[in-house]
């Protein structure tokens, strides 16, 4: 549930791939360091060295995608080489092309949606969602995590959009 500014600030050295030679507990587990203290920048809330693990089993396909993507990026380069304005315009164009305007999505919706989905799907408990979103208080988590709101949003989709979403879900195998 990274803020878009945090995602766009990631470099290839912020992403830590599994260290299989370090033992069983390191196999398949990726790490991310957001705003490393060595980078000289701080997060929105003034923190450095926030970390998270990439590895929720239900999204294991994303690890393979990350491995392939990082092979294309030079050491120390931006993981996502795009400016905020371009990302916002691209996201808006994608939501328009998919007919999702009634849901009124913006990039920041991904932060809300990720937390809400993980609670609704029971992927993570509330304290894990709090750590993953770098929220300092439970009050902040409850402002973002609105799992039942997902039902309202899904109800705004057409039958074809819901079928397409279910089909797309199969592209990301779990476990």
């Amino acid at each position: 549930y990274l803020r878009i500014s945090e995602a766009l600030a990631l470099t290839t050295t912020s992403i830590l791939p599994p260290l299989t030679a370090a033992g069983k507990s390191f196999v398949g587990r990726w790490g991310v360091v957001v705003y490393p203290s060595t980078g000289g920048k701080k997060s929105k809330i003034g923190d450095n060295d926030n970390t998270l693990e990439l590895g929720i089993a239900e999204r294991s396909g994303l690890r393979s995608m990350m491995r392939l993507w990082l092979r294309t990026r030079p050491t120390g380069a931006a993981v996502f080489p795009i400016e905020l304005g371009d990302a916002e315009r691209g996201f808006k164009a994608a939501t328009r092309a998919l007919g999702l305007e009634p849901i009124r999505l913006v990039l920041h919706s991904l932060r809300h949606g990720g937390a809400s989905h993980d609670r609704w799907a029971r992927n993570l408990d509330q304290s894990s969602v709090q750590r993953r979103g770098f929220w300092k208080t439970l009050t902040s988590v409850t402002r973002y995590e609105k799992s039942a709101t997902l039902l309202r949003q899904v109800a705004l989709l057409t039958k074809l959009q819901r079928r397409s979403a279910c089909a797309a879900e199969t592209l990301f195998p779990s476990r």
Side-chain angles (χ1 to χ4, degrees):
Y1 333 120
L2 292 177
R3 294 172 183 91
I4 188 64
S5 60
E6 293 169 335
L8 295 178
L10 292 176
T11 66
T12 56
T13 54
S14 304
I15 311 293
L16 309 168
L19 295 172
T20 53
K24 244 194 249 188
S25 65
F26 292 91
V27 173
R29 297 175 73 177
W30 289 68
V32 179
V33 181
V34 182
Y35 290 112
S37 55
T38 56
K41 293 182 181 177
K42 292 189 181 266
S43 73
K44 176 183 174 185
I45 57 174
D47 285 349
N48 285 106
D49 294 327
N50 285 322
T51 62
L52 61 92
E53 179 185 337
L54 295 179
I56 293 175
E58 287 71 17
R59 293 191 281 273
S60 61
L62 294 178
R63 290 182 290 218
S64 300
M65 290 171 53
M66 181 60 76
R67 185 183 313 278
L68 291 171
W69 176 249
L70 288 176
R71 287 184 189 155
T72 70
R73 309 294 307 137
T75 301
V79 173
F80 305 108
I82 187 170
E83 296 295 322
L84 177 60
D86 293 331
E88 289 171 334
R89 283 186 290 280
F91 190 81
K92 186 173 184 168
T95 58
R96 190 179 319 111
L98 293 168
L100 298 176
E101 292 100 333
I103 299 177
R104 297 177 19 209
L105 297 171
V106 295
L107 274 174
H108 196 69
S109 303
L110 300 175
R111 186 161 163 81
H112 288 269
S116 298
H117 178 270
D118 279 341
R119 288 295 296 133
W120 182 261
R122 291 180 175 73
N123 291 335
L124 297 172
D125 61 29
Q126 199 162 27
S127 66
S128 297
V129 167
Q130 182 176 349
R131 282 192 307 278
R132 191 170 191 79
F134 307 129
W135 289 294
K136 291 196 179 235
T137 66
L138 193 54
T139 303
S140 295
V141 177
T142 56
R143 269 198 329 265
Y144 278 83
E145 184 272 311
K146 306 279 188 200
S147 53
T149 301
L150 290 174
L151 291 174
R152 183 177 62 210
Q153 296 295 75
V154 170
L156 294 172
L157 299 175
T158 66
K159 286 181 183 178
L160 177 60
Q161 288 170 324
R162 287 194 294 265
R163 278 197 304 270
S164 296
C166 289
E169 191 174 33
T170 65
L171 299 174
F172 298 97
S174 65
R175 300 185 200 253

